[in-house]
Amino acid sequence: MIIYIGLLSIFILALFFTSIDKRFRYIFGIILTLSLIFVSGFRYNVGMDYPPYEELYSKVSNGEQIDSEIGFVTICRICSMIGANAQLMFLILAIITISFIYKS
């Protein structure tokens, strides 16, 4: 719970500083993006989607065929080939997703 309060505090602080001086927008945009990537990328057993994605990663790393998106399966295979666990897969997916949100 403390992590979410910290994130909320960073967002409020960023909102305050960017309303005072517009030059802080880029700096706080990067700080907020990295904060969101960190929290969502290093989560462990949080949310309803964590166990199913972890199970899909296990199936892919064990060589089983799954019926899922090709991008997700490719990321799982790459992580599995370098010997990483499901946590790296969550981090990569968080980086991709939040980066697209930041760019939009």
mmCIF file of all heavy atoms in Angstrom, residues 1-51:
data_model
loop_
_atom_site.group_PDB
_atom_site.id
_atom_site.type_symbol
_atom_site.label_atom_id
_atom_site.label_comp_id
_atom_site.label_asym_id
_atom_site.label_seq_id
_atom_site.Cartn_x
_atom_site.Cartn_y
_atom_site.Cartn_z
ATOM 1 N N MET A 1 0.826 -1.198 0.000
ATOM 2 C CA MET A 1 0.000 0.000 0.000
ATOM 3 C C MET A 1 0.866 1.257 0.000
ATOM 4 O O MET A 1 0.507 2.246 -0.610
ATOM 5 C CB MET A 1 -0.926 -0.059 1.209
ATOM 6 C CG MET A 1 -1.874 1.082 1.282
ATOM 7 S SD MET A 1 -3.007 1.002 -0.081
ATOM 8 C CE MET A 1 -4.390 1.796 0.593
ATOM 9 N N ILE A 2 1.988 1.192 0.676
ATOM 10 C CA ILE A 2 2.856 2.361 0.786
ATOM 11 C C ILE A 2 3.395 2.795 -0.575
ATOM 12 O O ILE A 2 3.577 3.988 -0.826
ATOM 13 C CB ILE A 2 3.991 2.116 1.801
ATOM 14 C CG1 ILE A 2 4.713 3.430 2.144
ATOM 15 C CG2 ILE A 2 5.004 1.146 1.273
ATOM 16 C CD1 ILE A 2 4.101 4.136 3.276
ATOM 17 N N ILE A 3 3.619 1.835 -1.459
ATOM 18 C CA ILE A 3 4.139 2.165 -2.785
ATOM 19 C C ILE A 3 3.131 2.992 -3.579
ATOM 20 O O ILE A 3 3.499 3.924 -4.295
ATOM 21 C CB ILE A 3 4.574 0.895 -3.564
ATOM 22 C CG1 ILE A 3 5.358 1.264 -4.810
ATOM 23 C CG2 ILE A 3 3.386 0.053 -3.944
ATOM 24 C CD1 ILE A 3 6.756 1.651 -4.531
ATOM 25 N N TYR A 4 1.856 2.687 -3.432
ATOM 26 C CA TYR A 4 0.830 3.424 -4.156
ATOM 27 C C TYR A 4 0.653 4.832 -3.593
ATOM 28 O O TYR A 4 0.401 5.774 -4.348
ATOM 29 C CB TYR A 4 -0.490 2.661 -4.130
ATOM 30 C CG TYR A 4 -0.362 1.307 -4.780
ATOM 31 C CD1 TYR A 4 -0.522 0.142 -4.044
ATOM 32 C CD2 TYR A 4 -0.050 1.196 -6.133
ATOM 33 C CE1 TYR A 4 -0.377 -1.096 -4.630
ATOM 34 C CE2 TYR A 4 0.102 -0.045 -6.732
ATOM 35 C CZ TYR A 4 -0.072 -1.184 -5.973
ATOM 36 O OH TYR A 4 0.074 -2.403 -6.550
ATOM 37 N N ILE A 5 0.821 4.977 -2.297
ATOM 38 C CA ILE A 5 0.779 6.302 -1.684
ATOM 39 C C ILE A 5 1.978 7.121 -2.163
ATOM 40 O O ILE A 5 1.852 8.310 -2.450
ATOM 41 C CB ILE A 5 0.736 6.192 -0.149
ATOM 42 C CG1 ILE A 5 -0.594 5.562 0.282
ATOM 43 C CG2 ILE A 5 0.913 7.554 0.510
ATOM 44 C CD1 ILE A 5 -0.666 5.205 1.738
ATOM 45 N N GLY A 6 3.138 6.476 -2.278
ATOM 46 C CA GLY A 6 4.320 7.156 -2.802
ATOM 47 C C GLY A 6 4.125 7.602 -4.242
ATOM 48 O O GLY A 6 4.503 8.719 -4.614
ATOM 49 N N LEU A 7 3.554 6.736 -5.064
ATOM 50 C CA LEU A 7 3.274 7.106 -6.457
ATOM 51 C C LEU A 7 2.307 8.276 -6.537
ATOM 52 O O LEU A 7 2.504 9.208 -7.324
ATOM 53 C CB LEU A 7 2.679 5.920 -7.206
ATOM 54 C CG LEU A 7 3.623 5.054 -8.010
ATOM 55 C CD1 LEU A 7 2.880 3.912 -8.657
ATOM 56 C CD2 LEU A 7 4.368 5.833 -9.035
ATOM 57 N N LEU A 8 1.269 8.236 -5.719
ATOM 58 C CA LEU A 8 0.300 9.322 -5.690
ATOM 59 C C LEU A 8 0.972 10.627 -5.268
ATOM 60 O O LEU A 8 0.703 11.690 -5.843
ATOM 61 C CB LEU A 8 -0.856 8.982 -4.753
ATOM 62 C CG LEU A 8 -1.957 10.034 -4.639
ATOM 63 C CD1 LEU A 8 -2.632 10.248 -5.990
ATOM 64 C CD2 LEU A 8 -2.969 9.620 -3.585
ATOM 65 N N SER A 9 1.875 10.540 -4.302
ATOM 66 C CA SER A 9 2.598 11.738 -3.854
ATOM 67 C C SER A 9 3.466 12.305 -4.968
ATOM 68 O O SER A 9 3.527 13.531 -5.160
ATOM 69 C CB SER A 9 3.475 11.404 -2.643
ATOM 70 O OG SER A 9 2.696 10.924 -1.591
ATOM 71 N N ILE A 10 4.133 11.436 -5.726
ATOM 72 C CA ILE A 10 4.958 11.894 -6.848
ATOM 73 C C ILE A 10 4.085 12.566 -7.905
ATOM 74 O O ILE A 10 4.437 13.609 -8.451
ATOM 75 C CB ILE A 10 5.762 10.722 -7.450
ATOM 76 C CG1 ILE A 10 6.815 10.245 -6.459
ATOM 77 C CG2 ILE A 10 6.415 11.131 -8.762
ATOM 78 C CD1 ILE A 10 7.517 8.970 -6.877
ATOM 79 N N PHE A 11 2.918 11.983 -8.182
ATOM 80 C CA PHE A 11 2.012 12.574 -9.160
ATOM 81 C C PHE A 11 1.512 13.945 -8.713
ATOM 82 O O PHE A 11 1.459 14.885 -9.504
ATOM 83 C CB PHE A 11 0.820 11.651 -9.421
ATOM 84 C CG PHE A 11 1.078 10.617 -10.464
ATOM 85 C CD1 PHE A 11 1.536 9.365 -10.106
ATOM 86 C CD2 PHE A 11 0.877 10.890 -11.797
ATOM 87 C CE1 PHE A 11 1.787 8.404 -11.063
ATOM 88 C CE2 PHE A 11 1.116 9.945 -12.769
ATOM 89 C CZ PHE A 11 1.577 8.699 -12.401
ATOM 90 N N ILE A 12 1.155 14.073 -7.448
ATOM 91 C CA ILE A 12 0.678 15.362 -6.933
ATOM 92 C C ILE A 12 1.795 16.396 -6.966
ATOM 93 O O ILE A 12 1.576 17.553 -7.341
ATOM 94 C CB ILE A 12 0.085 15.191 -5.516
ATOM 95 C CG1 ILE A 12 -1.211 14.388 -5.597
ATOM 96 C CG2 ILE A 12 -0.155 16.543 -4.856
ATOM 97 C CD1 ILE A 12 -1.787 13.993 -4.258
ATOM 98 N N LEU A 13 2.989 15.989 -6.584
ATOM 99 C CA LEU A 13 4.142 16.891 -6.626
ATOM 100 C C LEU A 13 4.423 17.336 -8.057
ATOM 101 O O LEU A 13 4.684 18.525 -8.316
ATOM 102 C CB LEU A 13 5.366 16.188 -6.034
ATOM 103 C CG LEU A 13 6.608 17.021 -5.821
ATOM 104 C CD1 LEU A 13 6.364 18.059 -4.742
ATOM 105 C CD2 LEU A 13 7.763 16.124 -5.421
ATOM 106 N N ALA A 14 4.352 16.408 -8.993
ATOM 107 C CA ALA A 14 4.570 16.750 -10.401
ATOM 108 C C ALA A 14 3.495 17.703 -10.900
ATOM 109 O O ALA A 14 3.792 18.661 -11.625
ATOM 110 C CB ALA A 14 4.576 15.475 -11.243
ATOM 111 N N LEU A 15 2.268 17.473 -10.524
ATOM 112 C CA LEU A 15 1.176 18.353 -10.928
ATOM 113 C C LEU A 15 1.386 19.764 -10.382
ATOM 114 O O LEU A 15 1.190 20.758 -11.090
ATOM 115 C CB LEU A 15 -0.154 17.780 -10.438
ATOM 116 C CG LEU A 15 -1.416 18.521 -10.835
ATOM 117 C CD1 LEU A 15 -1.581 18.482 -12.352
ATOM 118 C CD2 LEU A 15 -2.611 17.904 -10.160
ATOM 119 N N PHE A 16 1.831 19.845 -9.149
ATOM 120 C CA PHE A 16 2.086 21.143 -8.530
ATOM 121 C C PHE A 16 3.210 21.891 -9.241
ATOM 122 O O PHE A 16 3.066 23.062 -9.603
ATOM 123 C CB PHE A 16 2.425 20.952 -7.044
ATOM 124 C CG PHE A 16 2.828 22.209 -6.340
ATOM 125 C CD1 PHE A 16 1.885 23.183 -6.043
ATOM 126 C CD2 PHE A 16 4.144 22.420 -5.991
ATOM 127 C CE1 PHE A 16 2.262 24.344 -5.401
ATOM 128 C CE2 PHE A 16 4.536 23.578 -5.349
ATOM 129 C CZ PHE A 16 3.588 24.551 -5.053
ATOM 130 N N PHE A 17 4.342 21.217 -9.468
ATOM 131 C CA PHE A 17 5.482 21.884 -10.085
ATOM 132 C C PHE A 17 5.237 22.240 -11.550
ATOM 133 O O PHE A 17 5.696 23.276 -12.024
ATOM 134 C CB PHE A 17 6.749 21.041 -9.954
ATOM 135 C CG PHE A 17 7.421 21.189 -8.625
ATOM 136 C CD1 PHE A 17 7.493 20.114 -7.755
ATOM 137 C CD2 PHE A 17 7.970 22.397 -8.242
ATOM 138 C CE1 PHE A 17 8.107 20.240 -6.527
ATOM 139 C CE2 PHE A 17 8.593 22.536 -7.016
ATOM 140 C CZ PHE A 17 8.653 21.451 -6.149
ATOM 141 N N THR A 18 4.538 21.387 -12.275
ATOM 142 C CA THR A 18 4.280 21.706 -13.684
ATOM 143 C C THR A 18 3.247 22.804 -13.839
ATOM 144 O O THR A 18 3.224 23.476 -14.866
ATOM 145 C CB THR A 18 3.836 20.463 -14.477
ATOM 146 O OG1 THR A 18 2.694 19.894 -13.863
ATOM 147 C CG2 THR A 18 4.957 19.459 -14.565
ATOM 148 N N SER A 19 2.407 23.004 -12.839
ATOM 149 C CA SER A 19 1.465 24.119 -12.919
ATOM 150 C C SER A 19 2.171 25.442 -12.638
ATOM 151 O O SER A 19 1.744 26.495 -13.105
ATOM 152 C CB SER A 19 0.306 23.920 -11.950
ATOM 153 O OG SER A 19 0.758 23.994 -10.614
ATOM 154 N N ILE A 20 3.264 25.407 -11.880
ATOM 155 C CA ILE A 20 4.037 26.623 -11.595
ATOM 156 C C ILE A 20 4.925 26.987 -12.780
ATOM 157 O O ILE A 20 4.966 28.138 -13.209
ATOM 158 C CB ILE A 20 4.895 26.438 -10.322
ATOM 159 C CG1 ILE A 20 3.987 26.325 -9.110
ATOM 160 C CG2 ILE A 20 5.875 27.582 -10.160
ATOM 161 C CD1 ILE A 20 4.734 25.997 -7.826
ATOM 162 N N ASP A 21 5.649 26.006 -13.294
ATOM 163 C CA ASP A 21 6.583 26.265 -14.389
ATOM 164 C C ASP A 21 6.493 25.128 -15.409
ATOM 165 O O ASP A 21 6.724 23.967 -15.082
ATOM 166 C CB ASP A 21 8.013 26.366 -13.836
ATOM 167 C CG ASP A 21 8.999 26.903 -14.847
ATOM 168 O OD1 ASP A 21 8.630 27.061 -16.031
ATOM 169 O OD2 ASP A 21 10.145 27.175 -14.449
ATOM 170 N N LYS A 22 6.154 25.469 -16.625
ATOM 171 C CA LYS A 22 5.951 24.467 -17.679
ATOM 172 C C LYS A 22 7.229 23.751 -18.085
ATOM 173 O O LYS A 22 7.188 22.711 -18.714
ATOM 174 C CB LYS A 22 5.319 25.119 -18.919
ATOM 175 C CG LYS A 22 3.999 25.783 -18.654
ATOM 176 C CD LYS A 22 2.949 24.788 -18.251
ATOM 177 C CE LYS A 22 1.630 25.509 -18.026
ATOM 178 N NZ LYS A 22 0.666 24.736 -17.322
ATOM 179 N N ARG A 23 8.396 24.298 -17.733
ATOM 180 C CA ARG A 23 9.663 23.660 -18.096
ATOM 181 C C ARG A 23 9.873 22.337 -17.376
ATOM 182 O O ARG A 23 10.669 21.516 -17.793
ATOM 183 C CB ARG A 23 10.832 24.588 -17.805
ATOM 184 C CG ARG A 23 10.853 25.817 -18.690
ATOM 185 C CD ARG A 23 11.991 26.710 -18.340
ATOM 186 N NE ARG A 23 11.739 27.251 -16.988
ATOM 187 C CZ ARG A 23 12.580 28.001 -16.321
ATOM 188 N NH1 ARG A 23 13.744 28.313 -16.840
ATOM 189 N NH2 ARG A 23 12.278 28.460 -15.132
ATOM 190 N N PHE A 24 9.166 22.113 -16.285
ATOM 191 C CA PHE A 24 9.308 20.880 -15.523
ATOM 192 C C PHE A 24 8.532 19.709 -16.132
ATOM 193 O O PHE A 24 8.640 18.578 -15.664
ATOM 194 C CB PHE A 24 8.838 21.073 -14.077
ATOM 195 C CG PHE A 24 9.752 21.941 -13.266
ATOM 196 C CD1 PHE A 24 9.302 23.155 -12.776
ATOM 197 C CD2 PHE A 24 11.046 21.537 -12.991
ATOM 198 C CE1 PHE A 24 10.136 23.955 -12.013
ATOM 199 C CE2 PHE A 24 11.884 22.322 -12.229
ATOM 200 C CZ PHE A 24 11.427 23.540 -11.750
ATOM 201 N N ARG A 25 7.735 19.952 -17.156
ATOM 202 C CA ARG A 25 6.891 18.892 -17.732
ATOM 203 C C ARG A 25 7.701 17.697 -18.220
ATOM 204 O O ARG A 25 7.361 16.557 -17.942
ATOM 205 C CB ARG A 25 6.047 19.432 -18.874
ATOM 206 C CG ARG A 25 4.817 20.097 -18.429
ATOM 207 C CD ARG A 25 3.924 20.368 -19.605
ATOM 208 N NE ARG A 25 2.647 20.830 -19.069
ATOM 209 C CZ ARG A 25 1.678 21.248 -19.805
ATOM 210 N NH1 ARG A 25 1.814 21.273 -21.122
ATOM 211 N NH2 ARG A 25 0.556 21.640 -19.266
ATOM 212 N N TYR A 26 8.740 17.944 -18.978
ATOM 213 C CA TYR A 26 9.536 16.845 -19.536
ATOM 214 C C TYR A 26 10.219 16.052 -18.427
ATOM 215 O O TYR A 26 10.189 14.824 -18.433
ATOM 216 C CB TYR A 26 10.574 17.397 -20.512
ATOM 217 C CG TYR A 26 11.450 16.320 -21.103
ATOM 218 C CD1 TYR A 26 10.954 15.477 -22.093
ATOM 219 C CD2 TYR A 26 12.752 16.126 -20.659
ATOM 220 C CE1 TYR A 26 11.741 14.479 -22.632
ATOM 221 C CE2 TYR A 26 13.545 15.135 -21.195
ATOM 222 C CZ TYR A 26 13.035 14.312 -22.175
ATOM 223 O OH TYR A 26 13.810 13.316 -22.700
ATOM 224 N N ILE A 27 10.800 16.739 -17.467
ATOM 225 C CA ILE A 27 11.516 16.066 -16.371
ATOM 226 C C ILE A 27 10.558 15.203 -15.568
ATOM 227 O O ILE A 27 10.831 14.024 -15.308
ATOM 228 C CB ILE A 27 12.208 17.105 -15.464
ATOM 229 C CG1 ILE A 27 13.299 17.835 -16.243
ATOM 230 C CG2 ILE A 27 12.776 16.447 -14.221
ATOM 231 C CD1 ILE A 27 13.826 19.069 -15.552
ATOM 232 N N PHE A 28 9.425 15.768 -15.180
ATOM 233 C CA PHE A 28 8.469 14.994 -14.399
ATOM 234 C C PHE A 28 7.791 13.915 -15.238
ATOM 235 O O PHE A 28 7.404 12.870 -14.717
ATOM 236 C CB PHE A 28 7.435 15.899 -13.734
ATOM 237 C CG PHE A 28 7.915 16.461 -12.433
ATOM 238 C CD1 PHE A 28 8.278 17.782 -12.326
ATOM 239 C CD2 PHE A 28 8.022 15.647 -11.313
ATOM 240 C CE1 PHE A 28 8.734 18.297 -11.131
ATOM 241 C CE2 PHE A 28 8.478 16.149 -10.119
ATOM 242 C CZ PHE A 28 8.833 17.480 -10.020
ATOM 243 N N GLY A 29 7.661 14.144 -16.535
ATOM 244 C CA GLY A 29 7.119 13.095 -17.404
ATOM 245 C C GLY A 29 8.012 11.866 -17.391
ATOM 246 O O GLY A 29 7.532 10.730 -17.297
ATOM 247 N N ILE A 30 9.308 12.073 -17.460
ATOM 248 C CA ILE A 30 10.258 10.962 -17.411
ATOM 249 C C ILE A 30 10.237 10.302 -16.036
ATOM 250 O O ILE A 30 10.220 9.068 -15.929
ATOM 251 C CB ILE A 30 11.685 11.453 -17.764
ATOM 252 C CG1 ILE A 30 11.737 11.979 -19.191
ATOM 253 C CG2 ILE A 30 12.716 10.361 -17.535
ATOM 254 C CD1 ILE A 30 11.454 10.931 -20.240
ATOM 255 N N ILE A 31 10.236 11.111 -14.970
ATOM 256 C CA ILE A 31 10.212 10.554 -13.610
ATOM 257 C C ILE A 31 8.957 9.722 -13.379
ATOM 258 O O ILE A 31 9.021 8.612 -12.840
ATOM 259 C CB ILE A 31 10.331 11.687 -12.565
ATOM 260 C CG1 ILE A 31 11.723 12.309 -12.611
ATOM 261 C CG2 ILE A 31 10.007 11.176 -11.160
ATOM 262 C CD1 ILE A 31 11.864 13.570 -11.785
ATOM 263 N N LEU A 32 7.812 10.234 -13.816
ATOM 264 C CA LEU A 32 6.562 9.500 -13.631
ATOM 265 C C LEU A 32 6.526 8.230 -14.466
ATOM 266 O O LEU A 32 6.065 7.182 -14.006
ATOM 267 C CB LEU A 32 5.378 10.400 -13.975
ATOM 268 C CG LEU A 32 5.168 11.587 -13.049
ATOM 269 C CD1 LEU A 32 4.050 12.475 -13.574
ATOM 270 C CD2 LEU A 32 4.868 11.129 -11.644
ATOM 271 N N THR A 33 7.026 8.318 -15.690
ATOM 272 C CA THR A 33 7.060 7.131 -16.545
ATOM 273 C C THR A 33 7.946 6.046 -15.943
ATOM 274 O O THR A 33 7.554 4.873 -15.879
ATOM 275 C CB THR A 33 7.552 7.509 -17.955
ATOM 276 O OG1 THR A 33 6.684 8.493 -18.499
ATOM 277 C CG2 THR A 33 7.585 6.302 -18.867
ATOM 278 N N LEU A 34 9.122 6.423 -15.478
ATOM 279 C CA LEU A 34 10.020 5.442 -14.860
ATOM 280 C C LEU A 34 9.436 4.878 -13.567
ATOM 281 O O LEU A 34 9.604 3.687 -13.271
ATOM 282 C CB LEU A 34 11.387 6.069 -14.607
ATOM 283 C CG LEU A 34 12.198 6.410 -15.857
ATOM 284 C CD1 LEU A 34 13.490 7.123 -15.470
ATOM 285 C CD2 LEU A 34 12.481 5.163 -16.668
ATOM 286 N N SER A 35 8.731 5.705 -12.811
ATOM 287 C CA SER A 35 8.091 5.227 -11.584
ATOM 288 C C SER A 35 7.021 4.186 -11.895
ATOM 289 O O SER A 35 6.938 3.149 -11.231
ATOM 290 C CB SER A 35 7.459 6.388 -10.816
ATOM 291 O OG SER A 35 8.406 7.333 -10.445
ATOM 292 N N LEU A 36 6.202 4.470 -12.903
ATOM 293 C CA LEU A 36 5.165 3.510 -13.285
ATOM 294 C C LEU A 36 5.760 2.214 -13.821
ATOM 295 O O LEU A 36 5.266 1.120 -13.520
ATOM 296 C CB LEU A 36 4.233 4.130 -14.322
ATOM 297 C CG LEU A 36 3.282 5.193 -13.810
ATOM 298 C CD1 LEU A 36 2.543 5.844 -14.970
ATOM 299 C CD2 LEU A 36 2.302 4.593 -12.828
ATOM 300 N N ILE A 37 6.823 2.319 -14.613
ATOM 301 C CA ILE A 37 7.482 1.118 -15.126
ATOM 302 C C ILE A 37 8.040 0.297 -13.979
ATOM 303 O O ILE A 37 7.894 -0.931 -13.944
ATOM 304 C CB ILE A 37 8.587 1.492 -16.139
ATOM 305 C CG1 ILE A 37 7.963 1.973 -17.438
ATOM 306 C CG2 ILE A 37 9.519 0.309 -16.402
ATOM 307 C CD1 ILE A 37 8.951 2.558 -18.426
ATOM 308 N N PHE A 38 8.668 0.950 -13.023
ATOM 309 C CA PHE A 38 9.242 0.246 -11.879
ATOM 310 C C PHE A 38 8.172 -0.491 -11.078
ATOM 311 O O PHE A 38 8.322 -1.676 -10.763
ATOM 312 C CB PHE A 38 9.986 1.240 -10.981
ATOM 313 C CG PHE A 38 10.630 0.595 -9.794
ATOM 314 C CD1 PHE A 38 11.819 -0.096 -9.915
ATOM 315 C CD2 PHE A 38 10.028 0.671 -8.542
ATOM 316 C CE1 PHE A 38 12.403 -0.704 -8.824
ATOM 317 C CE2 PHE A 38 10.601 0.077 -7.443
ATOM 318 C CZ PHE A 38 11.795 -0.610 -7.581
ATOM 319 N N VAL A 39 7.086 0.188 -10.766
ATOM 320 C CA VAL A 39 6.029 -0.428 -9.945
ATOM 321 C C VAL A 39 5.341 -1.564 -10.697
ATOM 322 O O VAL A 39 5.143 -2.649 -10.148
ATOM 323 C CB VAL A 39 5.009 0.631 -9.482
ATOM 324 C CG1 VAL A 39 3.785 -0.014 -8.860
ATOM 325 C CG2 VAL A 39 5.657 1.573 -8.491
ATOM 326 N N SER A 40 4.984 -1.335 -11.949
ATOM 327 C CA SER A 40 4.273 -2.395 -12.676
ATOM 328 C C SER A 40 5.209 -3.493 -13.155
ATOM 329 O O SER A 40 4.784 -4.643 -13.311
ATOM 330 C CB SER A 40 3.499 -1.809 -13.853
ATOM 331 O OG SER A 40 4.373 -1.225 -14.772
ATOM 332 N N GLY A 41 6.466 -3.187 -13.366
ATOM 333 C CA GLY A 41 7.407 -4.195 -13.845
ATOM 334 C C GLY A 41 7.918 -5.118 -12.759
ATOM 335 O O GLY A 41 8.256 -6.269 -13.021
ATOM 336 N N PHE A 42 7.988 -4.626 -11.529
ATOM 337 C CA PHE A 42 8.499 -5.442 -10.437
ATOM 338 C C PHE A 42 7.410 -5.903 -9.471
ATOM 339 O O PHE A 42 7.706 -6.300 -8.348
ATOM 340 C CB PHE A 42 9.590 -4.687 -9.670
ATOM 341 C CG PHE A 42 10.849 -4.529 -10.466
ATOM 342 C CD1 PHE A 42 11.201 -3.305 -10.987
ATOM 343 C CD2 PHE A 42 11.656 -5.623 -10.721
ATOM 344 C CE1 PHE A 42 12.359 -3.153 -11.733
ATOM 345 C CE2 PHE A 42 12.811 -5.483 -11.464
ATOM 346 C CZ PHE A 42 13.164 -4.243 -11.970
ATOM 347 N N ARG A 43 6.182 -5.862 -9.918
ATOM 348 C CA ARG A 43 5.106 -6.363 -9.061
ATOM 349 C C ARG A 43 5.235 -7.877 -8.926
ATOM 350 O O ARG A 43 5.759 -8.550 -9.819
ATOM 351 C CB ARG A 43 3.745 -5.985 -9.626
ATOM 352 C CG ARG A 43 3.429 -6.708 -10.924
ATOM 353 C CD ARG A 43 2.171 -6.170 -11.539
ATOM 354 N NE ARG A 43 1.918 -6.814 -12.803
ATOM 355 C CZ ARG A 43 0.808 -7.458 -13.080
ATOM 356 N NH1 ARG A 43 -0.157 -7.539 -12.194
ATOM 357 N NH2 ARG A 43 0.648 -8.014 -14.248
ATOM 358 N N TYR A 44 4.770 -8.389 -7.830
ATOM 359 C CA TYR A 44 4.819 -9.838 -7.647
ATOM 360 C C TYR A 44 3.491 -10.302 -7.072
ATOM 361 O O TYR A 44 3.089 -9.887 -5.987
ATOM 362 C CB TYR A 44 5.959 -10.250 -6.718
ATOM 363 C CG TYR A 44 6.013 -11.741 -6.502
ATOM 364 C CD1 TYR A 44 6.474 -12.571 -7.509
ATOM 365 C CD2 TYR A 44 5.554 -12.304 -5.324
ATOM 366 C CE1 TYR A 44 6.509 -13.936 -7.345
ATOM 367 C CE2 TYR A 44 5.580 -13.682 -5.150
ATOM 368 C CZ TYR A 44 6.055 -14.483 -6.159
ATOM 369 O OH TYR A 44 6.082 -15.842 -5.992
ATOM 370 N N ASN A 45 2.793 -11.110 -7.830
ATOM 371 C CA ASN A 45 1.521 -11.698 -7.429
ATOM 372 C C ASN A 45 0.496 -10.634 -7.061
ATOM 373 O O ASN A 45 -0.235 -10.762 -6.084
ATOM 374 C CB ASN A 45 1.723 -12.685 -6.280
ATOM 375 C CG ASN A 45 0.685 -13.783 -6.306
ATOM 376 O OD1 ASN A 45 -0.025 -13.952 -7.286
ATOM 377 N ND2 ASN A 45 0.603 -14.528 -5.225
ATOM 378 N N VAL A 46 0.448 -9.580 -7.864
ATOM 379 C CA VAL A 46 -0.501 -8.498 -7.646
ATOM 380 C C VAL A 46 -1.455 -8.463 -8.823
ATOM 381 O O VAL A 46 -1.035 -8.451 -9.976
ATOM 382 C CB VAL A 46 0.221 -7.137 -7.526
ATOM 383 C CG1 VAL A 46 -0.782 -6.004 -7.426
ATOM 384 C CG2 VAL A 46 1.144 -7.137 -6.341
ATOM 385 N N GLY A 47 -2.734 -8.439 -8.544
ATOM 386 C CA GLY A 47 -3.741 -8.338 -9.584
ATOM 387 C C GLY A 47 -4.265 -9.690 -10.019
ATOM 388 O O GLY A 47 -3.690 -10.742 -9.740
ATOM 389 N N MET A 48 -5.382 -9.624 -10.699
ATOM 390 C CA MET A 48 -6.040 -10.845 -11.162
ATOM 391 C C MET A 48 -5.318 -11.470 -12.357
ATOM 392 O O MET A 48 -5.476 -12.648 -12.623
ATOM 393 C CB MET A 48 -7.493 -10.536 -11.566
ATOM 394 C CG MET A 48 -8.345 -10.024 -10.421
ATOM 395 S SD MET A 48 -8.667 -11.277 -9.200
ATOM 396 C CE MET A 48 -9.714 -12.372 -10.100
ATOM 397 N N ASP A 49 -4.533 -10.698 -13.084
ATOM 398 C CA ASP A 49 -3.893 -11.212 -14.288
ATOM 399 C C ASP A 49 -2.520 -11.819 -14.036
ATOM 400 O O ASP A 49 -1.968 -12.469 -14.921
ATOM 401 C CB ASP A 49 -3.785 -10.112 -15.340
ATOM 402 C CG ASP A 49 -2.900 -8.960 -14.894
ATOM 403 O OD1 ASP A 49 -2.715 -8.783 -13.675
ATOM 404 O OD2 ASP A 49 -2.417 -8.226 -15.761
ATOM 405 N N TYR A 50 -1.960 -11.646 -12.864
ATOM 406 C CA TYR A 50 -0.598 -12.140 -12.610
ATOM 407 C C TYR A 50 -0.492 -13.666 -12.719
ATOM 408 O O TYR A 50 0.349 -14.162 -13.473
ATOM 409 C CB TYR A 50 -0.097 -11.656 -11.246
ATOM 410 C CG TYR A 50 1.355 -11.973 -11.020
ATOM 411 C CD1 TYR A 50 2.335 -11.082 -11.410
ATOM 412 C CD2 TYR A 50 1.762 -13.178 -10.440
ATOM 413 C CE1 TYR A 50 3.682 -11.356 -11.225
ATOM 414 C CE2 TYR A 50 3.090 -13.465 -10.258
ATOM 415 C CZ TYR A 50 4.047 -12.551 -10.645
ATOM 416 O OH TYR A 50 5.367 -12.839 -10.469
ATOM 417 N N PRO A 51 -1.313 -14.447 -11.987
ATOM 418 C CA PRO A 51 -1.169 -15.911 -12.080
ATOM 419 C C PRO A 51 -1.375 -16.487 -13.484
ATOM 420 O O PRO A 51 -0.590 -17.340 -13.911
ATOM 421 C CB PRO A 51 -2.211 -16.445 -11.090
ATOM 422 C CG PRO A 51 -2.406 -15.338 -10.107
ATOM 423 C CD PRO A 51 -2.257 -14.086 -10.917
#
